[in-house]
Amino acid sequence: NSFVFQLVFCATAATIVSGSMAERTKFSAYCVYSAVISLVVYPIEAGWVWNGQGWLAQLGCIDFAGSIVIHMVGGISALVGAIILGPRIGKYGKNGKVNAIPGHSITLGALGVFILWFGWYGFNGAAATDTMQLSQIFATTTVAPAVATVSAMLYTWIRNGKPDVSMSLNGSLAGLVAVTAGCANVDAIGSFIIGAVAGVLVCVAVYFIEDKLKVDDPVGAVAVHGCNGIWGTIAVGLFDYKDGLFYGGGVHHLLIQLLGIVCIAGWT
């Protein structure tokens, strides 16, 4: 079962990259980077955190279901791939103006997000040790994305004068990514705050990457998975109800989480 889960997680990291490189990559290139992620990048850094003998695990770094182990790795790889490929034709005008290239069906996009959300209960819950922990994981995996969806909607409503459906859907995914690290270690209040920040963060990151960095990421994979994978891992150090900073645990756990982010990002 563990081997099957590892294969699923490898495929997830590779799929994240494919979103940012959509429409302008040869299939052979997908095969190459998927092989590199699955054989070289992922097994090493996953062992640091998920193997009981891993050095980050022994230090106390917590990433229960993969905010940095999977999602940040995919987000960083997606950023590298998108930079190498360059933007799609017509994405940026001669004066640097960003031209939106929307998806052809919001309905299909929404369906995809809801399917992902449903699957995330298995994604996060697969490593639960008992039914009580499983119920907690299901609760946090519901609260965070729900709040993130609303916060993304409100942010775009205030910023643009009307709510943005596609960005709200990305907010749902951002909340799921962010709570993945601490789904078994935070309570309802913690997951609420994690989701609220994630919904705003994904919007800010999408606009920054597109407008300022001039990197064409068609589905916002870098913002959803990379930025919120980092945020979710930091959030464990803040909201872990056992030893998080806001629960009287001091900064030690937070510093360990930051160390894990830096080292895994560097390896990726």
Side-chain angles (χ1 to χ4, degrees), residues 151-185:
S151 66
M153 180 191 71
L154 292 175
Y155 180 86
T156 57
W157 202 337
I158 294 170
R159 183 182 189 273
N160 304 325
K162 60 181 179 180
D164 186 320
V165 177
S166 63
M167 197 68 82
S168 299
L169 294 172
N170 263 354
S172 304
L173 298 180
L176 289 164
V177 170
V179 81
T180 291
C183 58
N185 298 80

Side-chain angles (χ1 to χ4, degrees), residues 24-110:
R24 55 199 197 279
T25 310
K26 291 181 179 179
F27 179 70
S28 58
Y30 286 120
C31 295
V32 170
Y33 79 69
S34 295
V36 172
I37 286 176
S38 302
L39 295 176
V40 180
V41 178
Y42 173 79
I44 301 300
E45 49 87 13
W48 294 347
V49 179
W50 286 346
N51 186 324
Q53 302 303 312
W55 69 275
L56 281 174
Q58 292 186 333
L59 286 175
C61 181
I62 293 176
D63 183 8
F64 188 82
S67 283
I68 51 171
V69 170
I70 299 168
H71 294 283
M72 185 190 72
V73 168
I76 292 174
S77 304
L79 178 62
V80 172
I83 291 173
I84 292 173
L85 283 172
R88 291 166 291 175
I89 296 173
K91 178 62 179 178
Y92 296 103
K94 292 182 179 180
N95 59 354
K97 180 183 177 182
V98 179
N99 299 316
I101 306 177
H104 77 284
S105 174
I106 289 293
T107 304
L108 286 179

Side-chain angles (χ1 to χ4, degrees), residues 201-227:
L201 176 61
V202 70
C203 298
V204 173
V206 164
Y207 295 133
F208 179 79
I209 291 166
E210 187 176 71
D211 297 346
K212 303 301 182 182
L213 299 183
K214 302 299 182 184
V215 175
D216 184 14
D217 180 6
V219 297
V222 178
V224 170
H225 300 276
C227 296

Side-chain angles (χ1 to χ4, degrees), residues 1-10 42:
N1 287 342
S2 176
F3 178 70
V4 172
F5 289 140
Q6 296 296 317
L7 289 178
V8 171
F9 294 151
C10 284
Y42 173 79

